Amino acid sequence: MHNRRIRGMVLCLVLIIGTTSAFSQSLEDIVSRALGESTQMQDLEITKNNALLDQSISQAEDDVGITVSSGELSVTYNPTTNAYEFENLGGVSASFLLPDDGETTISVSTGTMGYLPNGSAFAISPKVSASHTLTYGYTTDNRESLANRQTEVLATSSYESSKLTFANTIYKQISSLLENEKSIKQTEKQIEDLRLDLEQNLSLKLIREGSLTHETQKQAIASQEATLSGLQASRELLLRQYATLTGSTWEGVDSIPEPVLDFSSNEEGNSNVLMQSLALSMAKEDLALKMAEFENKSLKLSGGIATSTIDTVFNNNKGDINTVTPEISATLAGKQFSMTGKVEGTYDISKNDFTPTVSISGSWSNNPTSTTDSLTVQKLQNEVLLAEIAYANAKNDYQQSVTSLENRIASWNLSYMLLGQTMDYHQQVLEQQQDLAERGLATKSEVDDAAFTVEMDAYDLAVTLLSGLQLENEIRILQI
Protein backbone atom coordinates (compact mmCIF):
# COMPACT_ATOMS: atom_id res chain seq x y z
CA MET A 1 0.00 0.00 0.00
CA HIS A 2 2.81 2.35 0.90
CA ASN A 3 4.69 1.69 -2.36
CA ARG A 4 1.54 2.19 -4.42
CA ARG A 5 0.98 5.52 -2.68
CA ILE A 6 4.58 6.57 -3.38
CA ARG A 7 4.28 5.63 -7.05
CA GLY A 8 1.09 7.65 -7.33
CA MET A 9 2.77 10.64 -5.72
CA VAL A 10 5.69 10.33 -8.16
CA LEU A 11 3.33 11.06 -11.05
CA CYS A 12 1.69 14.10 -9.48
CA LEU A 13 4.34 15.60 -7.18
CA VAL A 14 7.18 15.68 -9.71
CA LEU A 15 5.00 18.03 -11.76
CA ILE A 16 5.06 20.50 -8.90
CA ILE A 17 8.82 21.07 -9.12
CA GLY A 18 8.69 23.35 -12.12
CA THR A 19 8.57 20.66 -14.79
CA THR A 20 5.20 21.46 -16.34
CA SER A 21 6.78 22.70 -19.57
CA ALA A 22 5.21 21.38 -22.75
CA PHE A 23 8.71 20.36 -23.81
CA SER A 24 9.53 18.33 -20.69
CA GLN A 25 10.70 14.74 -21.27
CA SER A 26 10.72 11.49 -19.41
CA LEU A 27 13.96 10.58 -17.71
CA GLU A 28 14.38 7.63 -20.07
CA ASP A 29 14.08 9.91 -23.13
CA ILE A 30 16.63 12.35 -21.70
CA VAL A 31 19.19 9.60 -21.10
CA SER A 32 18.52 7.93 -24.46
CA ARG A 33 18.99 11.18 -26.37
CA ALA A 34 22.14 12.07 -24.44
CA LEU A 35 23.63 8.63 -25.15
CA GLY A 36 22.87 9.02 -28.85
CA GLU A 37 24.56 12.43 -29.08
CA SER A 38 27.56 11.73 -26.86
CA THR A 39 30.79 11.55 -28.88
CA GLN A 40 32.39 9.72 -25.97
CA MET A 41 29.81 6.92 -26.17
CA GLN A 42 30.07 6.83 -29.97
CA ASP A 43 33.84 6.37 -29.65
CA LEU A 44 33.36 3.58 -27.09
CA GLU A 45 30.80 1.83 -29.30
CA ILE A 46 33.08 1.93 -32.35
CA THR A 47 35.98 0.67 -30.23
CA LYS A 48 33.82 -2.19 -28.96
CA ASN A 49 32.69 -3.13 -32.47
CA ASN A 50 36.27 -3.06 -33.77
CA ALA A 51 37.41 -5.32 -30.94
CA LEU A 52 34.63 -7.80 -31.73
CA LEU A 53 35.52 -7.66 -35.44
CA ASP A 54 39.17 -8.40 -34.61
CA GLN A 55 37.98 -11.35 -32.57
CA SER A 56 35.84 -12.65 -35.44
CA ILE A 57 38.76 -12.27 -37.84
CA SER A 58 41.12 -14.21 -35.59
CA GLN A 59 38.54 -16.95 -35.06
CA ALA A 60 37.83 -17.41 -38.77
CA GLU A 61 38.66 -20.96 -39.82
CA ASP A 62 41.51 -21.42 -42.25
CA ASP A 63 40.69 -22.81 -45.67
CA VAL A 64 42.88 -25.04 -47.82
CA GLY A 65 45.84 -22.95 -48.94
CA ILE A 66 46.60 -23.25 -52.64
CA THR A 67 49.70 -21.88 -54.31
CA VAL A 68 50.25 -22.10 -58.07
CA SER A 69 53.50 -21.00 -59.69
CA SER A 70 55.22 -21.19 -63.03
CA GLY A 71 58.86 -21.16 -63.92
CA GLU A 72 60.44 -18.83 -66.44
CA LEU A 73 59.43 -19.59 -70.03
CA SER A 74 62.22 -19.15 -72.59
CA VAL A 75 62.17 -19.25 -76.36
CA THR A 76 65.45 -19.95 -78.21
CA TYR A 77 66.08 -19.95 -81.97
CA ASN A 78 68.19 -22.91 -83.11
CA PRO A 79 69.78 -22.12 -86.51
CA THR A 80 70.78 -25.75 -86.99
CA THR A 81 67.18 -26.91 -87.01
CA ASN A 82 65.89 -23.56 -88.21
CA ALA A 83 63.27 -23.68 -85.46
CA TYR A 84 62.39 -22.12 -82.13
CA GLU A 85 62.83 -24.27 -79.02
CA PHE A 86 60.50 -23.67 -76.03
CA GLU A 87 61.62 -24.50 -72.47
CA ASN A 88 60.30 -23.94 -68.93
CA LEU A 89 62.97 -24.93 -66.41
CA GLY A 90 60.79 -24.58 -63.32
CA GLY A 91 57.68 -25.99 -64.87
CA VAL A 92 54.25 -25.48 -63.40
CA SER A 93 53.62 -26.47 -59.79
CA ALA A 94 50.73 -26.43 -57.36
CA SER A 95 50.97 -26.75 -53.58
CA PHE A 96 48.05 -27.54 -51.25
CA LEU A 97 48.37 -26.73 -47.51
CA LEU A 98 45.66 -28.45 -45.46
CA PRO A 99 44.30 -26.59 -42.39
CA ASP A 100 45.34 -29.20 -39.83
CA ASP A 101 47.75 -29.28 -36.91
CA GLY A 102 50.27 -31.33 -38.85
CA GLU A 103 50.65 -28.76 -41.65
CA THR A 104 49.97 -31.43 -44.25
CA THR A 105 51.30 -30.29 -47.63
CA ILE A 106 50.71 -31.89 -51.02
CA SER A 107 52.72 -30.69 -54.00
CA VAL A 108 52.32 -31.48 -57.70
CA SER A 109 54.79 -30.30 -60.34
CA THR A 110 55.39 -30.82 -64.01
CA GLY A 111 59.12 -30.34 -63.55
CA THR A 112 61.20 -29.09 -66.47
CA MET A 113 59.20 -28.83 -69.70
CA GLY A 114 60.49 -28.47 -73.24
CA TYR A 115 59.06 -28.45 -76.74
CA LEU A 116 60.90 -28.86 -80.06
CA PRO A 117 58.57 -27.98 -82.92
CA ASN A 118 60.66 -29.39 -85.79
CA GLY A 119 61.45 -32.59 -84.00
CA SER A 120 57.88 -32.92 -82.79
CA ALA A 121 59.27 -33.74 -79.35
CA PHE A 122 57.89 -32.86 -75.92
CA ALA A 123 59.75 -33.27 -72.62
CA ILE A 124 58.22 -33.30 -69.11
CA SER A 125 59.41 -34.47 -65.67
CA PRO A 126 56.35 -34.68 -63.40
CA LYS A 127 56.64 -35.04 -59.62
CA VAL A 128 54.18 -35.46 -56.75
CA SER A 129 55.06 -35.31 -53.04
CA ALA A 130 53.44 -34.97 -49.61
CA SER A 131 54.54 -34.24 -46.05
CA HIS A 132 53.00 -34.33 -42.58
CA THR A 133 54.38 -33.48 -39.13
CA LEU A 134 53.51 -35.36 -35.94
CA THR A 135 54.22 -33.55 -32.65
CA TYR A 136 54.64 -35.42 -29.37
CA GLY A 137 53.98 -33.41 -26.20
CA TYR A 138 51.89 -30.33 -25.40
CA THR A 139 50.42 -29.16 -28.70
CA THR A 140 47.23 -27.36 -27.66
CA ASP A 141 47.69 -23.61 -28.06
CA ASN A 142 44.78 -21.93 -26.28
CA ARG A 143 46.43 -18.55 -25.98
CA GLU A 144 44.72 -17.02 -29.00
CA SER A 145 41.26 -18.14 -27.89
CA LEU A 146 41.94 -16.84 -24.36
CA ALA A 147 43.14 -13.52 -25.75
CA ASN A 148 40.05 -13.29 -27.96
CA ARG A 149 37.80 -13.99 -25.00
CA GLN A 150 39.63 -11.38 -22.94
CA THR A 151 39.22 -8.83 -25.73
CA GLU A 152 35.51 -9.58 -25.99
CA VAL A 153 34.92 -9.30 -22.23
CA LEU A 154 36.93 -6.09 -21.97
CA ALA A 155 35.25 -4.41 -24.94
CA THR A 156 31.72 -5.38 -23.94
CA SER A 157 32.06 -4.70 -20.21
CA SER A 158 33.82 -1.37 -20.76
CA TYR A 159 31.10 -0.19 -23.11
CA GLU A 160 28.20 -1.31 -20.90
CA SER A 161 29.81 0.06 -17.73
CA SER A 162 30.51 3.37 -19.45
CA LYS A 163 26.88 3.61 -20.58
CA LEU A 164 25.62 3.11 -17.04
CA THR A 165 28.21 5.49 -15.61
CA PHE A 166 27.20 8.09 -18.19
CA ALA A 167 23.55 7.68 -17.19
CA ASN A 168 24.51 8.15 -13.54
CA THR A 169 26.30 11.37 -14.45
CA ILE A 170 23.05 12.64 -15.98
CA TYR A 171 21.10 11.59 -12.88
CA LYS A 172 23.53 13.48 -10.66
CA GLN A 173 23.27 16.56 -12.87
CA ILE A 174 19.47 16.49 -12.72
CA SER A 175 19.63 16.00 -8.94
CA SER A 176 21.87 19.06 -8.66
CA LEU A 177 19.39 21.08 -10.75
CA LEU A 178 16.45 19.98 -8.62
CA GLU A 179 18.27 20.63 -5.36
CA ASN A 180 19.22 24.06 -6.69
CA GLU A 181 15.59 24.77 -7.63
CA LYS A 182 14.48 23.68 -4.16
CA SER A 183 17.04 25.93 -2.50
CA ILE A 184 16.00 28.88 -4.69
CA LYS A 185 12.32 28.41 -3.82
CA GLN A 186 13.11 28.03 -0.13
CA THR A 187 15.24 31.18 -0.19
CA GLU A 188 12.59 33.12 -2.12
CA LYS A 189 9.97 32.09 0.44
CA GLN A 190 12.25 33.07 3.31
CA ILE A 191 12.76 36.50 1.72
CA GLU A 192 9.03 36.86 1.15
CA ASP A 193 8.28 35.81 4.76
CA LEU A 194 10.92 38.19 6.15
CA ARG A 195 9.59 41.11 4.12
CA LEU A 196 6.01 40.36 5.11
CA ASP A 197 7.03 40.08 8.74
CA LEU A 198 8.92 43.38 8.53
CA GLU A 199 5.97 45.16 6.89
CA GLN A 200 3.57 43.82 9.50
CA ASN A 201 5.84 44.83 12.36
CA LEU A 202 6.18 48.33 10.94
CA SER A 203 2.45 48.69 10.25
CA LEU A 204 1.58 47.49 13.74
CA LYS A 205 4.32 49.73 15.11
CA LEU A 206 5.93 46.79 16.87
CA ILE A 207 9.29 48.12 15.70
CA ARG A 208 10.46 51.57 14.74
CA GLU A 209 12.00 52.33 11.36
CA GLY A 210 15.73 52.92 11.78
CA SER A 211 15.86 51.00 15.05
CA LEU A 212 18.39 48.24 15.70
CA THR A 213 15.68 45.58 15.31
CA HIS A 214 14.59 47.14 12.02
CA GLU A 215 18.16 47.17 10.71
CA THR A 216 18.68 43.59 11.85
CA GLN A 217 15.63 42.39 9.92
CA LYS A 218 16.72 44.36 6.85
CA GLN A 219 20.16 42.76 7.11
CA ALA A 220 18.56 39.33 7.30
CA ILE A 221 16.65 40.08 4.11
CA ALA A 222 19.81 41.33 2.39
CA SER A 223 21.67 38.20 3.46
CA GLN A 224 18.98 35.97 1.98
CA GLU A 225 18.97 38.05 -1.22
CA ALA A 226 22.73 37.54 -1.52
CA THR A 227 22.19 33.81 -1.02
CA LEU A 228 19.52 33.87 -3.72
CA SER A 229 21.90 35.61 -6.15
CA GLY A 230 24.52 32.94 -5.50
CA LEU A 231 21.99 30.15 -6.07
CA GLN A 232 20.81 31.75 -9.31
CA ALA A 233 24.41 32.06 -10.52
CA SER A 234 24.95 28.39 -9.66
CA ARG A 235 21.81 27.55 -11.60
CA GLU A 236 23.19 29.17 -14.74
CA LEU A 237 26.32 27.05 -14.43
CA LEU A 238 24.27 23.89 -13.82
CA LEU A 239 22.13 24.62 -16.88
CA ARG A 240 25.22 25.00 -19.08
CA GLN A 241 26.68 21.78 -17.70
CA TYR A 242 23.40 19.97 -18.37
CA ALA A 243 23.28 21.25 -21.96
CA THR A 244 26.88 20.14 -22.55
CA LEU A 245 26.20 16.74 -21.02
CA THR A 246 22.89 15.93 -22.70
CA GLY A 247 22.99 18.05 -25.85
CA SER A 248 19.66 19.72 -24.97
CA THR A 249 18.38 22.51 -22.73
CA TRP A 250 16.78 21.77 -19.38
CA GLU A 251 13.01 21.74 -19.80
CA GLY A 252 12.20 19.61 -16.81
CA VAL A 253 11.39 15.94 -16.39
CA ASP A 254 7.83 14.69 -16.37
CA SER A 255 8.42 11.26 -14.81
CA ILE A 256 11.03 9.50 -12.73
CA PRO A 257 10.61 5.74 -12.36
CA GLU A 258 10.98 3.91 -9.09
CA PRO A 259 14.31 2.03 -9.00
CA VAL A 260 14.52 -1.75 -8.93
CA LEU A 261 17.16 -2.71 -6.40
CA ASP A 262 16.99 -6.50 -6.64
CA PHE A 263 20.52 -7.80 -6.18
CA SER A 264 22.18 -11.14 -5.60
CA SER A 265 25.88 -11.83 -5.78
CA ASN A 266 27.41 -14.16 -8.36
CA GLU A 267 29.64 -16.92 -7.07
CA GLU A 268 31.89 -16.52 -10.11
CA GLY A 269 32.15 -12.75 -9.65
CA ASN A 270 31.85 -10.21 -12.44
CA SER A 271 33.77 -9.24 -15.57
CA ASN A 272 36.72 -7.94 -13.54
CA VAL A 273 37.08 -11.33 -11.88
CA LEU A 274 36.66 -13.04 -15.25
CA MET A 275 39.38 -10.84 -16.77
CA GLN A 276 41.81 -11.86 -14.01
CA SER A 277 40.80 -15.50 -14.45
CA LEU A 278 41.56 -15.26 -18.17
CA ALA A 279 44.86 -13.51 -17.39
CA LEU A 280 45.77 -16.40 -15.07
CA SER A 281 44.89 -18.95 -17.77
CA MET A 282 47.00 -17.03 -20.29
CA ALA A 283 49.96 -16.96 -17.89
CA LYS A 284 49.68 -20.72 -17.39
CA GLU A 285 49.40 -21.19 -21.15
CA ASP A 286 52.54 -19.12 -21.76
CA LEU A 287 54.43 -21.28 -19.26
CA ALA A 288 53.11 -24.50 -20.81
CA LEU A 289 54.07 -23.39 -24.32
CA LYS A 290 57.55 -22.41 -23.17
CA MET A 291 58.04 -25.77 -21.43
CA ALA A 292 56.82 -27.49 -24.61
CA GLU A 293 59.76 -25.95 -26.48
CA PHE A 294 62.10 -28.07 -24.32
CA GLU A 295 60.03 -31.23 -24.07
CA ASN A 296 58.19 -31.57 -27.37
CA LYS A 297 59.49 -33.73 -30.19
CA SER A 298 58.32 -33.71 -33.79
CA LEU A 299 58.39 -36.33 -36.50
CA LYS A 300 58.06 -35.04 -40.05
CA LEU A 301 57.18 -37.65 -42.66
CA SER A 302 57.47 -36.90 -46.34
CA GLY A 303 57.48 -38.82 -49.57
CA GLY A 304 57.07 -38.47 -53.29
CA ILE A 305 57.68 -39.88 -56.70
CA ALA A 306 59.20 -38.29 -59.77
CA THR A 307 59.98 -39.33 -63.32
CA SER A 308 62.92 -38.17 -65.36
CA THR A 309 61.72 -37.22 -68.80
CA ILE A 310 58.84 -38.20 -71.01
CA ASP A 311 59.82 -37.97 -74.69
CA THR A 312 56.91 -38.16 -77.09
CA VAL A 313 57.54 -38.25 -80.84
CA PHE A 314 54.25 -37.37 -82.40
CA ASN A 315 54.99 -38.71 -85.88
CA ASN A 316 55.15 -42.34 -84.70
CA ASN A 317 53.21 -42.01 -81.39
CA LYS A 318 56.20 -43.21 -79.38
CA GLY A 319 56.50 -42.31 -75.68
CA ASP A 320 59.33 -43.20 -73.29
CA ILE A 321 59.58 -42.79 -69.51
CA ASN A 322 63.30 -42.96 -68.85
CA THR A 323 63.46 -43.24 -65.04
CA VAL A 324 61.18 -43.29 -62.00
CA THR A 325 62.50 -41.99 -58.64
CA PRO A 326 60.52 -42.71 -55.41
CA GLU A 327 61.58 -41.07 -52.12
CA ILE A 328 60.57 -41.44 -48.43
CA SER A 329 62.11 -39.52 -45.52
CA ALA A 330 61.48 -39.01 -41.82
CA THR A 331 62.95 -36.35 -39.52
CA LEU A 332 62.84 -36.60 -35.72
CA ALA A 333 63.64 -33.29 -34.01
CA GLY A 334 63.82 -31.98 -30.46
CA LYS A 335 65.21 -28.96 -28.65
CA GLN A 336 68.86 -30.07 -28.89
CA PHE A 337 68.90 -32.65 -31.68
CA SER A 338 67.67 -33.49 -35.15
CA MET A 339 67.90 -36.85 -36.99
CA THR A 340 66.84 -37.58 -40.56
CA GLY A 341 66.50 -40.90 -42.33
CA LYS A 342 65.95 -41.03 -46.07
CA VAL A 343 65.28 -43.87 -48.51
CA GLU A 344 65.19 -43.25 -52.24
CA GLY A 345 65.90 -45.14 -55.42
CA THR A 346 66.09 -44.82 -59.17
CA TYR A 347 64.44 -47.26 -61.51
CA ASP A 348 65.79 -47.22 -65.08
CA ILE A 349 63.02 -48.54 -67.30
CA SER A 350 65.17 -49.06 -70.36
CA LYS A 351 67.66 -51.17 -68.38
CA ASN A 352 65.07 -52.66 -65.98
CA ASP A 353 67.42 -51.71 -63.15
CA PHE A 354 66.61 -50.31 -59.64
CA THR A 355 69.27 -48.56 -57.56
CA PRO A 356 68.30 -47.86 -53.92
CA THR A 357 69.98 -45.30 -51.68
CA VAL A 358 69.73 -45.02 -47.89
CA SER A 359 71.05 -42.00 -46.00
CA ILE A 360 71.03 -40.93 -42.36
CA SER A 361 72.03 -37.53 -40.99
CA GLY A 362 71.75 -35.83 -37.63
CA SER A 363 72.82 -32.90 -35.48
CA TRP A 364 73.17 -32.14 -31.77
CA SER A 365 73.93 -28.99 -29.76
CA ASN A 366 74.59 -28.41 -26.09
CA ASN A 367 71.83 -25.78 -26.02
CA PRO A 368 73.93 -22.65 -25.35
CA THR A 369 70.77 -20.69 -24.49
CA SER A 370 69.83 -23.01 -21.61
CA THR A 371 70.59 -20.35 -18.98
CA THR A 372 68.42 -17.80 -20.74
CA ASP A 373 65.66 -20.36 -21.15
CA SER A 374 65.84 -21.28 -17.48
CA LEU A 375 65.52 -17.63 -16.44
CA THR A 376 62.63 -17.18 -18.86
CA VAL A 377 60.82 -20.16 -17.32
CA GLN A 378 61.35 -18.72 -13.84
CA LYS A 379 59.94 -15.42 -14.99
CA LEU A 380 56.88 -17.12 -16.49
CA GLN A 381 56.38 -19.08 -13.27
CA ASN A 382 56.44 -15.79 -11.37
CA GLU A 383 53.91 -14.37 -13.82
CA VAL A 384 51.61 -17.28 -12.96
CA LEU A 385 51.99 -16.55 -9.24
CA LEU A 386 51.28 -12.85 -9.78
CA ALA A 387 48.23 -13.71 -11.89
CA GLU A 388 46.96 -16.02 -9.12
CA ILE A 389 47.35 -13.20 -6.58
CA ALA A 390 45.58 -10.73 -8.89
CA TYR A 391 42.75 -13.22 -9.40
CA ALA A 392 42.37 -13.74 -5.65
CA ASN A 393 42.41 -9.96 -5.08
CA ALA A 394 39.75 -9.47 -7.76
CA LYS A 395 37.48 -12.00 -6.08
CA ASN A 396 38.06 -10.34 -2.71
CA ASP A 397 37.35 -6.87 -4.15
CA TYR A 398 34.16 -8.18 -5.68
CA GLN A 399 32.96 -9.59 -2.35
CA GLN A 400 33.77 -6.30 -0.61
CA SER A 401 31.84 -4.40 -3.29
CA VAL A 402 28.91 -6.78 -2.80
CA THR A 403 28.87 -6.13 0.95
CA SER A 404 29.13 -2.37 0.48
CA LEU A 405 26.37 -2.37 -2.15
CA GLU A 406 24.05 -4.48 0.02
CA ASN A 407 24.53 -1.99 2.90
CA ARG A 408 23.78 0.96 0.62
CA ILE A 409 20.67 -0.76 -0.74
CA ALA A 410 19.42 -1.34 2.81
CA SER A 411 20.18 2.29 3.71
CA TRP A 412 18.34 3.62 0.64
CA ASN A 413 15.30 1.44 1.30
CA LEU A 414 15.12 2.76 4.86
CA SER A 415 15.47 6.38 3.70
CA TYR A 416 12.83 5.82 1.04
CA MET A 417 10.43 4.34 3.57
CA LEU A 418 10.98 7.20 6.04
CA LEU A 419 10.51 9.74 3.26
CA GLY A 420 7.21 8.10 2.34
CA GLN A 421 6.05 8.36 5.95
CA THR A 422 7.10 12.02 6.12
CA MET A 423 5.34 12.80 2.85
CA ASP A 424 2.18 11.07 4.09
CA TYR A 425 2.28 13.15 7.26
CA HIS A 426 2.84 16.44 5.43
CA GLN A 427 0.02 15.61 3.00
CA GLN A 428 -2.31 14.95 5.94
CA VAL A 429 -1.28 18.26 7.51
CA LEU A 430 -2.09 20.09 4.27
CA GLU A 431 -5.47 18.43 3.98
CA GLN A 432 -6.17 19.29 7.63
CA GLN A 433 -5.17 22.94 7.16
CA GLN A 434 -7.34 23.18 4.07
CA ASP A 435 -10.27 21.74 6.01
CA LEU A 436 -9.68 24.16 8.90
CA ALA A 437 -9.40 27.09 6.50
CA GLU A 438 -12.78 26.22 4.97
CA ARG A 439 -14.27 26.45 8.47
CA GLY A 440 -12.40 29.66 9.24
CA LEU A 441 -10.08 28.04 11.78
CA ALA A 442 -6.83 28.42 9.80
CA THR A 443 -5.27 31.29 7.91
CA LYS A 444 -4.28 31.35 4.25
CA SER A 445 -0.65 31.64 5.36
CA GLU A 446 -0.88 28.40 7.29
CA VAL A 447 -2.38 26.62 4.27
CA ASP A 448 0.32 28.09 2.01
CA ASP A 449 3.06 26.95 4.40
CA ALA A 450 1.67 23.39 4.46
CA ALA A 451 1.38 23.38 0.65
CA PHE A 452 4.94 24.66 0.35
CA THR A 453 6.17 21.83 2.58
CA VAL A 454 4.43 19.30 0.32
CA GLU A 455 6.02 20.98 -2.70
CA MET A 456 9.47 20.66 -1.12
CA ASP A 457 8.73 16.99 -0.42
CA ALA A 458 8.36 16.54 -4.19
CA TYR A 459 11.95 17.69 -4.65
CA ASP A 460 13.13 15.31 -1.93
CA LEU A 461 11.23 12.47 -3.56
CA ALA A 462 12.68 13.20 -7.01
CA VAL A 463 16.23 13.44 -5.67
CA THR A 464 15.78 10.24 -3.66
CA LEU A 465 14.46 8.38 -6.71
CA LEU A 466 17.40 9.62 -8.77
CA SER A 467 19.85 8.42 -6.13
CA GLY A 468 18.05 5.07 -6.18
CA LEU A 469 18.40 4.89 -9.97
CA GLN A 470 22.11 5.57 -9.60
CA LEU A 471 22.26 2.70 -7.12
CA GLU A 472 20.36 0.49 -9.59
CA ASN A 473 22.97 1.23 -12.26
CA GLU A 474 25.78 0.49 -9.81
CA ILE A 475 24.16 -2.90 -9.21
CA ARG A 476 24.12 -3.52 -12.96
CA ILE A 477 27.75 -2.39 -13.26
CA LEU A 478 28.80 -4.82 -10.53
CA GLN A 479 26.92 -7.61 -12.30
CA ILE A 480 28.62 -7.01 -15.67
Side-chain angles (χ1 to χ4, degrees):
M1 178 66 183
H2 169 70
N3 286 339
R4 287 198 300 271
R5 180 174 177 81
I6 285 290
R7 283 193 289 270
M9 296 178 75
V10 169
L11 297 177
C12 62
L13 289 181
V14 172
L15 296 177
I16 300 175
I17 58 179
T19 61
T20 56
S21 167
F23 301 101
S24 61
Q25 297 176 297
S26 68
L27 187 64
E28 181 181 357
D29 289 339
I30 292 174
V31 174
S32 177
R33 178 177 178 180
L35 286 171
E37 296 187 3
S38 170
T39 55
Q40 176 187 359
M41 294 309 304
Q42 292 172 6
D43 179 78
L44 286 171
E45 184 171 8
I46 293 173
T47 301
K48 179 196 73 172
N49 291 336
N50 281 343
L52 296 179
L53 285 173
D54 289 339
Q55 180 195 32
S56 298
I57 292 171
S58 63
Q59 288 181 335
E61 294 184 0
D62 294 332
D63 295 325
V64 176
I66 302 176
T67 303
V68 178
S69 60
S70 173
E72 181 180 353
L73 177 64
S74 64
V75 181
T76 304
Y77 176 73
N78 189 338
T80 303
T81 59
N82 191 28
Y84 288 93
E85 299 178 357
F86 299 86
E87 187 175 27
N88 189 329
L89 296 178
V92 178
S93 63
S95 179
F96 303 87
L97 177 60
L98 305 185
D100 57 18
D101 294 336
E103 297 184 347
T104 302
T105 303
I106 301 174
S107 298
V108 179
S109 173
T110 63
T112 301
M113 294 189 300
Y115 178 61
L116 306 177
N118 284 355
S120 298
F122 183 79
I124 184 172
S125 301
K127 180 179 181 181
V128 60
S129 63
S131 66
H132 181 80
T133 301
L134 301 172
T135 302
Y136 305 96
Y138 185 79
T139 59
T140 303
D141 187 352
N142 295 319
R143 198 184 196 289
E144 184 175 0
S145 61
L146 290 170
N148 288 335
R149 177 61 176 151
Q150 195 176 52
T151 299
E152 177 189 6
V153 171
L154 180 61
T156 303
S157 62
S158 296
Y159 176 72
E160 296 300 329
S161 297
S162 297
K163 268 180 61 175
L164 295 171
T165 301
F166 184 76
N168 276 356
T169 303
I170 297 175
Y171 295 158
K172 292 176 183 177
Q173 189 67 28
I174 294 177
S175 293
S176 297
L177 278 166
L178 296 179
E179 289 172 343
N180 175 264
E181 289 177 12
K182 177 185 176 183
S183 297
I184 287 176
K185 289 192 175 184
Q186 288 177 326
T187 305
E188 288 175 341
K189 187 176 188 306
Q190 289 175 357
I191 292 174
E192 182 181 352
D193 291 344
L194 287 171
R195 284 176 176 170
L196 180 61
D197 186 52
L198 179 58
E199 291 175 1
Q200 289 176 345
N201 287 338
L202 288 173
S203 63
L204 296 175
K205 299 189 182 300
L206 296 177
I207 61 173
R208 180 174 52 84
E209 190 171 353
S211 66
L212 180 60
T213 302
H214 179 248
E215 293 299 324
T216 300
Q217 290 187 355
K218 286 175 61 179
Q219 181 61 37
I221 294 172
S223 176
Q224 290 299 320
E225 288 175 339
T227 300
L228 180 60
S229 297
L231 290 171
Q232 290 172 338
S234 297
R235 179 171 178 78
E236 293 300 320
L237 176 61
L238 290 171
L239 289 173
R240 290 196 299 272
Q241 291 174 339
Y242 177 86
T244 301
L245 183 63
T246 64
S248 60
T249 57
W250 169 249
E251 298 288 350
V253 56
D254 59 20
S255 64
I256 301 177
E258 190 174 19
V260 179
L261 303 183
D262 297 333
F263 173 67
S264 59
S265 62
N266 187 343
E267 292 183 359
E268 297 181 357
N270 58 359
S271 59
N272 290 332
V273 177
L274 177 57
M275 286 291 292
Q276 294 302 329
S277 174
L278 291 171
L280 174 58
S281 297
M282 289 177 66
K284 291 180 177 180
E285 186 71 11
D286 288 338
L287 178 59
L289 291 173
K290 187 63 179 178
M291 295 300 296
E293 292 181 12
F294 311 132
E295 301 171 356
N296 282 8
K297 297 178 179 61
S298 65
L299 177 63
K300 182 175 182 179
L301 302 174
S302 61
I305 185 170
T307 63
S308 60
T309 303
I310 300 177
D311 295 322
T312 302
V313 181
F314 294 102
N315 54 14
N316 59 7
N317 295 324
K318 178 183 177 183
D320 294 324
I321 299 178
N322 297 334
T323 60
V324 177
T325 305
E327 175 186 316
I328 298 176
S329 67
T331 301
L332 180 65
K335 175 68 175 177
Q336 296 177 264
F337 73 92
S338 175
M339 180 175 293
T340 300
K342 185 176 181 181
V343 178
E344 62 181 342
T346 301
Y347 176 66
D348 191 325
I349 296 177
S350 61
K351 298 180 180 180
N352 193 24
D353 181 38
F354 180 72
T355 306
T357 302
V358 178
S359 62
I360 297 177
S361 63
S363 65
W364 177 86
S365 68
N366 65 349
N367 193 12
T369 61
S370 59
T371 302
T372 301
D373 291 334
S374 176
L375 294 174
T376 301
V377 169
Q378 291 181 30
K379 180 181 177 182
L380 292 175
Q381 290 173 337
N382 289 338
E383 293 292 340
V384 172
L385 294 176
L386 290 174
E388 289 175 342
I389 294 172
Y391 177 52
N393 288 339
K395 291 194 294 184
N396 184 56
D397 290 343
Y398 173 75
Q399 291 302 324
Q400 290 182 359
S401 297
V402 167
T403 301
S404 174
L405 195 56
E406 289 174 341
N407 290 335
R408 292 173 60 196
I409 292 172
S411 177
W412 187 90
N413 285 329
L414 177 61
S415 299
Y416 190 44
M417 181 189 68
L418 295 176
L419 175 61
Q421 294 175 353
T422 300
M423 292 177 67
D424 286 343
Y425 171 73
H426 288 161
Q427 184 66 27
Q428 292 171 8
V429 171
L430 174 59
E431 293 171 357
Q432 184 181 40
Q433 291 297 330
Q434 290 172 336
D435 180 63
L436 291 173
E438 291 176 358
R439 292 184 289 164
L441 300 177
T443 65
K444 180 179 181 301
S445 176
E446 290 173 329
V447 175
D448 290 343
D449 286 345
F452 184 78
T453 300
V454 171
E455 183 180 348
M456 294 302 99
D457 285 343
Y459 283 99
D460 292 336
L461 175 60
V463 171
T464 300
L465 289 173
L466 287 168
S467 68
L469 291 173
Q470 294 175 47
L471 195 56
E472 178 183 332
N473 282 345
E474 291 181 27
I475 292 173
R476 295 165 64 186
I477 290 174
L478 189 60
Q479 290 175 330
I480 293 176

